[in-house]
């Protein structure tokens, strides 16, 4: 059979080695490719698999436009995932050399590393982490069950996305098996166990470029025999605590977040202009403390029709005002109840989780709360909903697990 483009057939998930699972492609054959050495020595650059995959009838490729060369058979070399360092911009060669050259008691503090492009995307008011990786290199840091799951890495190289089995219900694909990442759709090729904590979706470097992820702005680090906390401290001493977000992944695995440490979100797509880089620190009780400079630059309090004074992201305000003004002129103002408005900007994690919502950025608002609880059809007037959609908002009533009180910015619309 020849190459398969986007017309893929969704089939039942089947079990594979290590408990991993795969969504089957409508193609046959076994991917072939040259294996490569990992970055076991930080001074040595690993070979890249970012070259465009050639049309080979023996290699199943889901999306040739976003394919890279397949990684080839796994050679068994594996490393632990101890630290994840994220910068808002691409790391310079000097920065990388300083990070990977850290020593602890005269020995290398970084035993192995791999670079990735890292950011966040939003699905149903939850922010998820996405990494664009070199499949052959990154697999070495993902644990035995995932690293040895050959078809997963071939699928990623072929232009598909892999997600953890644990997020199967959160990252809901459409009827054809595609995951919406901003305005792009990427076919889900694999569901995997384990993986790297702090990474919710994995794509190849071609997709990273298409999504606008900052290129090579993150480093996944194995500290070998050195303490991850000591290595992190050394890096912070070299650059300052606020230069990078550095998470200890053993702590993330236990609690979902590294408490008290500087964090940053780098949304892709429609939110990139409205959010930029969102810096914050978890402070306990589900709360976060955003960088005051970010708040000053993005959050404003203004008077809008119907609701009166609201505090939201300044990029949201023109569209919110336009939507509410049209609701007024359509004589539907009585369909929105100011006394049941539950706010727009509140910086905290989603209740019971360590995930940010779009409320953290001031890009969502909750209306008519009592009659529009989660999991219900809700009582929101559907003409009001249509007006909000016209002005660039998504409605929570359309979600798999409905949230009909919720409206969030989905695209930028210029009111003129």
């Amino acid at each position: 059979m020849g190459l398969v483009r986007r017309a893929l057939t969704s089939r039942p998930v089947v079990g594979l080695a290590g408990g991993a699972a795969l969504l089957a492609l409508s193609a046959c054959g076994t991917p072939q490719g040259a294996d490569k050495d990992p970055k076991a020595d930080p001074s040595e650059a690993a070979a890249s698999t970012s070259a465009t995959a050639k049309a080979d009838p023996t290699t199943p490729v889901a999306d040739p436009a976003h394919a890279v060369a397949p990684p080839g058979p796994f050679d068994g070399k594996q490393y632990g995932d101890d630290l994840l360092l994220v910068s808002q911009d691409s790391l310079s060669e000097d920065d990388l050399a300083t990070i990977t050259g850290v020593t602890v008691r005269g020995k290398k503090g970084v035993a192995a590393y791999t670079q990735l492009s890292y950011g966040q995307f939003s699905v149903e008011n939850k922010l998820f982490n996405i990494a664009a990786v070199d499949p052959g290199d990154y697999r070495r840091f993902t644990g035995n069950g995932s690293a040895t799951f050959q078809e997963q890495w071939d699928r990623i190289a072929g232009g598909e996305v892999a997600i953890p089995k644990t997020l199967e219900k959160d990252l809901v694909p459409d009827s054809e098996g595609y995951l919406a990442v901003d305005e792009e759709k990427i076919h889900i090729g694999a569901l995997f166990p384990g993986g790297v904590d702090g990474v919710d979706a994995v794509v190849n470097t071609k997709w990273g470029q298409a999504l606008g992820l900052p290129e090579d702005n993150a480093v996944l680090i194995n500290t070998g025999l050195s303490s991850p906390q000591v290595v992190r401290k050394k890096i912070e001493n070299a650059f300052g605590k606020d230069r990078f977000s550095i998470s200890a992944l053993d702590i993330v695995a236990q609690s979902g977040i590294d408490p008290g440490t500087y964090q940053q979100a780098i949304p892709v797509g429609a939110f990139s202009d409205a959010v930029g880089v969102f810096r914050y620190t978890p402070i306990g009780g589900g709360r976060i403390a955003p960088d005051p400079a970010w708040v000053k630059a993005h959050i404003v309090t203004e008077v809008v029709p119907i609701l009166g004074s609201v505090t939201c992201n300044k990029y949201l305000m023109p569209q919110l005002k336009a939507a509410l003004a049209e609701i007024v002129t359509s004589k539907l103002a009585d369909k929105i109840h100011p006394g049941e408005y539950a706010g727009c900007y509140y910086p905290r994690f989603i209740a019971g989780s360590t995930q940010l919502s779009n409320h953290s950025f001031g890009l969502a608002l909750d209306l008519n709360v009592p009659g529009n609880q989660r999991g219900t059809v809700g009582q929101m007037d559907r003409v009001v909903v249509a007006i909000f959609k016209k002005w660039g908002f998504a409605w929570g009533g359309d979600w798999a697990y409905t949230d009909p009180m919720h409206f969030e910015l989905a695209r930028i619309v210029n009111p003129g």
Side-chain angles (χ1 to χ4, degrees):
M1 299 176 67
L3 296 178
V4 178
R5 292 187 178 269
R6 289 196 170 222
L8 298 181
T9 302
S10 295
R11 296 181 180 175
V13 176
V14 296
L16 290 179
L22 178 71
L23 295 177
L25 271 173
S26 303
C28 58
T30 302
Q32 301 294 325
D35 193 18
K36 62 184 191 63
D37 292 330
K39 295 175 180 176
D41 184 337
S43 65
E44 296 180 4
S48 171
T49 62
S50 60
T52 302
K54 297 180 179 179
D56 182 344
T58 67
T59 303
V61 176
D63 187 352
H66 296 98
V68 301
F74 186 48
D75 66 2
K77 295 178 182 177
Q78 297 186 51
Y79 308 104
D81 55 334
D82 295 318
L83 298 174
L84 178 62
L85 180 151
V86 181
S87 171
Q88 70 178 77
D89 301 311
S90 300
L91 292 165
S92 69
E93 291 184 5
D94 288 343
D95 286 344
L96 186 62
T98 300
I99 293 165
T100 58
V102 163
T103 58
V104 177
R105 297 179 180 177
K107 297 182 180 180
K108 289 182 178 180
V110 176
Y113 72 95
T114 185
Q115 284 191 267
L116 46 148
S117 303
Y118 190 85
Q120 286 76 31
F121 66 103
S122 177
V123 175
E124 298 188 354
N125 194 37
K126 294 180 181 179
L127 212 64
F128 296 93
N129 303 314
I130 185 168
V133 308
D134 174 335
D137 202 25
Y138 179 80
R139 70 191 297 180
R140 305 178 192 280
F141 297 80
T142 63
N144 188 61
S146 181
T148 58
F149 182 15
Q150 181 66 37
E151 291 186 70
Q152 169 183 267
W153 305 106
D154 291 336
R155 295 299 183 86
I156 292 171
E160 296 181 274
V161 59
I163 63 174
K165 179 73 172 173
T166 54
L167 292 180
E168 185 178 6
K169 293 183 179 179
D170 294 294
L171 295 175
V172 182
D174 63 19
S175 60
E176 295 183 336
Y178 288 89
L179 175 67
V181 180
D182 189 44
E183 297 180 355
E184 299 283 1
K185 288 188 174 183
I186 313 175
H187 193 263
I188 298 179
L191 306 173
F192 59 88
V196 174
D197 293 297
V199 176
D200 301 319
V202 182
V203 294
N204 65 35
T205 52
K206 276 286 189 67
W207 265 119
Q209 294 167 5
L211 295 172
L213 291 171
E215 184 177 1
D216 289 341
N217 68 318
V219 186
L220 183 59
I221 294 170
N222 169 239
T223 62
L225 298 178
S226 299
S227 162
Q229 288 75 20
V230 172
V231 173
R232 176 166 67 177
K233 186 67 174 178
K234 292 265 189 177
I235 296 173
E236 290 175 345
N237 289 341
F239 292 97
K241 288 188 176 181
D242 295 339
R243 175 68 186 282
F244 308 122
S245 164
I246 309 177
S247 299
L249 297 181
D250 59 339
I251 298 176
V252 172
Q254 296 171 22
S255 63
I257 197 72
D258 194 348
T261 60
Y262 165 79
Q263 302 289 327
Q264 56 188 354
I266 310 171
V268 299
F271 289 159
S272 59
D273 290 335
V275 176
V277 177
F278 181 74
R279 301 177 178 87
Y280 66 98
T281 303
I283 55 176
R287 297 172 299 148
I288 63 173
D291 177 7
W294 184 93
V295 176
K296 183 177 180 180
H298 291 83
I299 302 301
V300 296
T301 300
E302 297 181 5
V303 175
V304 302
I306 306 177
L307 298 175
S309 179
V310 300
T311 300
C312 298
N313 191 302
K314 68 180 182 180
Y315 288 89
L316 178 78
M317 287 297 192
Q319 292 171 226
L320 177 59
K321 290 177 179 179
L324 293 172
E326 183 169 337
I327 289 168
V328 171
T329 59
S330 300
K331 302 187 184 304
L332 294 170
D334 63 335
K335 302 298 183 181
I336 294 178
H337 312 143
E340 298 175 355
Y341 166 65
C344 178
Y345 170 64
Y346 38 94
R348 59 184 302 117
F349 294 117
I350 294 172
S353 78
T354 54
Q355 289 177 301
L356 296 177
S357 81
N358 290 323
H359 284 288
S360 297
F361 311 133
L363 293 175
L365 63 156
D366 293 333
L367 302 174
N368 298 5
V369 171
N372 292 281
Q373 296 297 303
R374 293 217 68 178
T376 70
V377 174
Q379 301 170 4
M380 194 67 65
D381 184 272
R382 296 315 192 252
V383 179
V384 168
V385 170
I387 292 172
F388 268 105
K389 288 182 177 181
K390 170 186 172 182
W391 288 104
F393 291 84
W395 180 47
D398 292 330
W399 297 347
Y401 182 49
T402 59
D403 191 4
M405 73 177 71
H406 182 91
F407 293 87
E408 65 179 42
L409 189 71
R411 67 184 193 281
I412 303 297
V413 176
N414 186 357

